[in-house]
Amino acid sequence: MKSAAQIAREVQSGATSASVELEASLAAVRARNEELNVFLHVDEEGARAAASRIDDRVARGETVGPLAGVPIAIKDNLCQAGIPTTCSSRILEGWRPPYNATVIDRLVEAGAVPVGKTNLDEFAMGSSTENSAFGPTRNPLDITRVPGGSSGGSAAAVAADMTPIALGSDTGGSIRQPAALCGLVGVKPSYGLVSRYGLIAFASSLDQIGPLSKTVLDSAILLEVIAGHDPMDSTSLPEPSPSLVAHVDDGVAGKRVALVRELVEGADPDVVASVERATVALKDAGATIIELSIPEFRLGLSAYYLIAPAEASSNLARFDGVRYGLRVDADDVTAMMEATRTAGFGAEVKRRIMLGTYALSAGYFDAYYGQALKVRTQMIDAFHRAYQQADLLIGATAPSVAFEFGAKTSNPMAMYLSDVFTIPTNLAGEAAVSVPFGTGEAGLPIGVQLLGPGRSEAQLLAAARVLEIADGRP
Ligand code: GLN
């Protein structure tokens, strides 16, 4: 499939049209959606109308935008006015948001054509998309394996050439880990870079929306479109969208890159080998390499599994059978809420609500939630110290290549460990990119993770581009 950059260029020049590109995308969806379970909803009518509006604008000689006529897949925890939005949960069944997420408005302004809503782990809680109430998504590269999660549907849409780009959300790794498992580029932007307005909240202090794509350039284009201040999100950074596309080919000459021991510890040997080869590739491109140990990273998982469930237990209190989606009737209000939440939430979501409620309860607050916040501060300090010695950090994105269905479903701890390398970035509110580099077991892709301080996206994408070229994708 053509890249987003190519489609936008050709639509603008008249070499192709948004409608032609959309029909190609819809045909690809029809061909494999039943097999892979990628889209929960395809908005054919809305997408066709959006595409023909773009074609009309091009015909009138207007300059459309950097995503002119580019079909895009949207994770189903992002609100799109009038379109069913489920978070892959029964509890939102039948709900249609009355408004657009800011990122949707910005996509449309830039000429993109939202095709539909993609499957995820329920409320973005998971690492395999097996927690969806609507069945798992299959990895297009090997249908016996998971696509990763929680943005597994968005990753699969791009990997299966249904759309060249997709939006995901990353609270503890949910963009980078599926990107790694599906052979894609995925970016977790700095906290506050992309507006969270209209993203259904999981853990508000960690959530960020970001791009998934086959190429580094496409992620740069998409991130530039969605980033920048939004008055509708009080945590939005004050400045406009950074310049990313212009810096994609800046390279890494003179940059200091630190290979972090804790970001490869416990990973499969084929993954470690890829990270080491990526480090050599950066060195060959002019970077200086050092090795660092950041022991605080080992505490990330424990802190995350207190902070994220604590915030989730509060955020998910709004699903009460009154305001959104599902209602299971009962004799009184309390019984109705209980019946609705019992029927509406899946097992993992219930586990998180219970963990979070417990961590926040009187008598345990200081021991659990309070302690986790202290670890979070230590993590921020540790990153800060590391960035005095290095411009970027490198490690693995996930401990292994895509795993088989059911491999980790009976053991929540094993599943949680999928994000051991991605979580530190979310806790610190910083930026990271996963870029495919080499292959491992069964020829499946491996993702290498590049981490940088807040607002370092341009530098991270430039380093990812170096690896993309070194891995044979010029
Ligand atoms: N897998 C992690 C979790 O289950 C992260 C999910 C995410 O980033 N949304 O919480």
Side-chain angles (χ1 to χ4, degrees), residues 124-127 150 169-174 202 304-305 352 419:
M125 297 172 186
S127 307
S150 65
S169 66
D170 192 313
T171 305
S174 279
F202 163 10
Y304 173 88
Y305 277 99
R352 305 282 179 111
D419 298 296

Side-chain angles (χ1 to χ4, degrees), residues 20 66 119 124-125 139 141 163 177 195 209 215 221 293 310 323 345 350 366 382 385 394 417 422 427 432 458 462:
V20 165
N119 200 15
M125 297 172 186
N139 189 320
L141 307 174
T163 59
Q177 187 259 11
S195 169
I209 301 164
T215 69
I221 296 171
S293 168
R323 288 172 283 189
F345 290 135
K350 287 175 182 158
D366 289 339
R385 281 194 301 277
I394 187 169
L417 278 163
T422 47
L427 286 172

Side-chain angles (χ1 to χ4, degrees), residues 168-237:
S169 66
D170 192 313
T171 305
S174 279
I175 292 173
R176 288 161 287 162
Q177 187 259 11
L181 273 47
C182 288
L184 306 174
V185 177
V187 186
K188 199 300 272 184
S190 308
Y191 188 75
L193 189 75
V194 179
S195 169
R196 292 180 295 109
Y197 181 71
L199 165 67
I200 297 174
F202 163 10
S204 312
S205 78
L206 301 161
D207 298 340
Q208 269 293 288
I209 301 164
L212 289 139
S213 63
K214 283 213 169 144
T215 69
V216 174
L217 178 61
D218 279 1
S219 271
I221 296 171
L222 176 52
L223 184 53
E224 216 176 277
V225 163
I226 61 172
H229 181 66
D230 176 18
M232 299 303 280
D233 172 359
S234 63
T235 63
S236 169
L237 292 170

Side-chain angles (χ1 to χ4, degrees), residues 13-252:
S13 75
T16 182
S17 71
S19 303
V20 165
E21 296 303 323
L22 173 65
E23 291 311 319
S25 164
L26 292 174
V29 174
R30 275 193 299 273
R32 287 194 85 185
N33 199 42
E34 211 170 304
E35 175 198 15
L36 301 173
N37 197 27
V38 170
F39 283 92
L40 300 176
H41 179 84
V42 180
D43 179 26
E44 291 200 20
E45 207 181 308
R48 286 202 172 102
S52 70
R53 273 196 300 273
I54 289 161
D55 291 334
D56 290 345
R57 288 179 57 191
V58 172
R60 285 198 299 269
E62 289 175 32
T63 302
V64 177
L67 290 173
V70 177
I72 182 166
I74 309 291
K75 187 175 183 179
D76 202 22
N77 58 355
L78 289 162
C79 291
Q80 200 181 338
I83 305 290
T85 298
T86 67
C87 282
S88 290
S89 182
R90 297 263 173 230
I91 208 143
L92 276 169
E93 228 163 47
W95 184 64
R96 287 171 192 250
Y99 66 98
N100 274 344
T102 297
V103 290
I104 301 287
D105 283 339
R106 292 196 178 169
L107 285 176
V108 171
E109 254 171 60
V113 177
V115 169
K117 309 297 292 292
T118 59
N119 200 15
L120 62 148
D121 287 295
E122 187 175 358
F123 285 101
M125 297 172 186
S127 307
S128 66
T129 318
E130 290 168 292
N131 291 339
S132 168
F134 308 114
T137 295
R138 293 176 182 279
N139 189 320
L141 307 174
D142 177 346
I143 61 165
T144 67
R145 303 196 185 220
V146 305
S150 65
S151 312
S154 283
V158 178
D161 288 328
M162 293 173 172
T163 59
I165 50 174
L167 283 185
S169 66
D170 192 313
T171 305
S174 279
I175 292 173
R176 288 161 287 162
Q177 187 259 11
L181 273 47
C182 288
L184 306 174
V185 177
V187 186
K188 199 300 272 184
S190 308
Y191 188 75
L193 189 75
V194 179
S195 169
R196 292 180 295 109
Y197 181 71
L199 165 67
I200 297 174
F202 163 10
S204 312
S205 78
L206 301 161
D207 298 340
Q208 269 293 288
I209 301 164
L212 289 139
S213 63
K214 283 213 169 144
T215 69
V216 174
L217 178 61
D218 279 1
S219 271
I221 296 171
L222 176 52
L223 184 53
E224 216 176 277
V225 163
I226 61 172
H229 181 66
D230 176 18
M232 299 303 280
D233 172 359
S234 63
T235 63
S236 169
L237 292 170
E239 59 261 42
S241 182
S243 159
L244 303 174
V245 175
H247 293 286
V248 157
D249 287 309
D250 279 2
V252 292

Side-chain angles (χ1 to χ4, degrees), residues 188-432:
K188 199 300 272 184
S190 308
Y191 188 75
L193 189 75
V194 179
S195 169
R196 292 180 295 109
Y197 181 71
L199 165 67
I200 297 174
F202 163 10
S204 312
S205 78
L206 301 161
D207 298 340
Q208 269 293 288
I209 301 164
L212 289 139
S213 63
K214 283 213 169 144
T215 69
V216 174
L217 178 61
D218 279 1
S219 271
I221 296 171
L222 176 52
L223 184 53
E224 216 176 277
V225 163
I226 61 172
H229 181 66
D230 176 18
M232 299 303 280
D233 172 359
S234 63
T235 63
S236 169
L237 292 170
E239 59 261 42
S241 182
S243 159
L244 303 174
V245 175
H247 293 286
V248 157
D249 287 309
D250 279 2
V252 292
K255 299 285 180 203
R256 301 164 304 165
V257 178
L259 173 60
V260 180
R261 185 184 312 152
E262 288 76 13
L263 292 179
V264 284
E265 213 168 51
D268 286 354
D270 50 1
V271 174
V272 179
S274 264
V275 174
E276 283 168 355
R277 283 193 304 104
T279 309
V280 172
L282 294 175
K283 186 164 183 249
D284 290 346
T288 345
I289 310 296
I290 59 167
E291 282 188 34
L292 269 188
S293 168
I294 310 179
E296 286 83 355
F297 282 9
R298 294 201 189 110
L299 304 173
L301 200 70
S302 323
Y304 173 88
Y305 277 99
L306 289 164
I307 293 169
E311 294 185 20
S313 69
S314 164
N315 273 326
L316 270 55
R318 61 169 63 86
F319 304 107
D320 56 5
V322 177
R323 288 172 283 189
Y324 309 92
L326 184 74
R327 174 180 303 174
V328 178
D329 283 321
D331 292 342
D332 59 54
V333 170
T334 311
M336 179 279 288
M337 285 184 189
E338 192 179 314
T340 301
R341 288 168 67 86
T342 302
F345 290 135
E348 184 60 28
V349 176
K350 287 175 182 158
R351 174 163 29 239
R352 305 282 179 111
I353 292 173
M354 286 189 281
L355 278 171
T357 306
Y358 183 77
L360 291 174
S361 58
Y364 295 102
F365 186 96
D366 289 339
Y368 293 111
Y369 184 67
Q371 196 68 12
L373 291 185
K374 287 182 191 157
V375 170
R376 187 173 192 175
T377 303
Q378 287 182 354
M379 185 77 74
I380 294 167
D381 292 345
F383 267 110
H384 192 73
R385 281 194 301 277
Y387 291 130
Q388 285 165 356
Q389 296 182 64
D391 300 302
L392 348 149
L393 312 180
I394 187 169
T397 303
S400 71
V401 298
F403 47 90
E404 278 165 13
F405 287 100
K408 304 186 185 193
T409 36
S410 59
N411 181 353
M413 261 316 286
M415 190 69 91
Y416 295 175
L417 278 163
S418 303
D419 298 296
V420 66
F421 302 139
T422 47
I423 279 171
T425 292
N426 300 78
L427 286 172
E430 295 182 341

